[in-house]
Amino acid sequence: MTYAVALFFLAILACLAAAGFFLLRKGDDGANDAQRSQRMARALAWRVGLSVVLFLWLLLAWKLGYIQPTGLLRAA
């Protein structure tokens, strides 16, 4: 479970890095601004989608009993 969550976080960060790359890349490879913007938006959409899937997956895992709260944030 820990490895899966870590992989999800790495994928989310990779999508964020890809969006930043497309944002900062110059247009010397023949890609115009519309293509760069579309690629950046697609990478950001993947990031949001992965974040939502991870959140729902964690909620489902908690509901099914695969993970348990640790009580670290419990008020004293």
Side-chain angles (χ1 to χ4, degrees):
M1 192 70 162
T2 304
Y3 293 122
V5 171
L7 285 175
F8 260 96
F9 275 125
L10 287 176
I12 290 167
L13 287 175
C15 289
L16 187 61
F21 174 75
F22 291 131
L23 175 69
L24 297 174
R25 192 171 71 171
K26 301 287 187 238
D28 56 352
D29 64 344
N32 60 13
D33 286 340
Q35 289 174 333
R36 284 183 23 223
S37 295
Q38 184 179 14
R39 290 177 182 170
M40 183 183 65
R42 188 177 301 134
L44 289 174
W46 269 98
R47 183 186 67 87
V48 170
L50 285 172
S51 298
V52 169
V53 168
L54 176 61
F55 181 72
L56 293 175
W57 186 55
L58 287 173
L59 282 178
L60 182 66
W62 171 68
K63 190 70 171 171
L64 294 175
Y66 294 130
I67 58 175
Q68 298 294 324
T70 61
L72 290 177
L73 299 176
R74 191 176 305 172

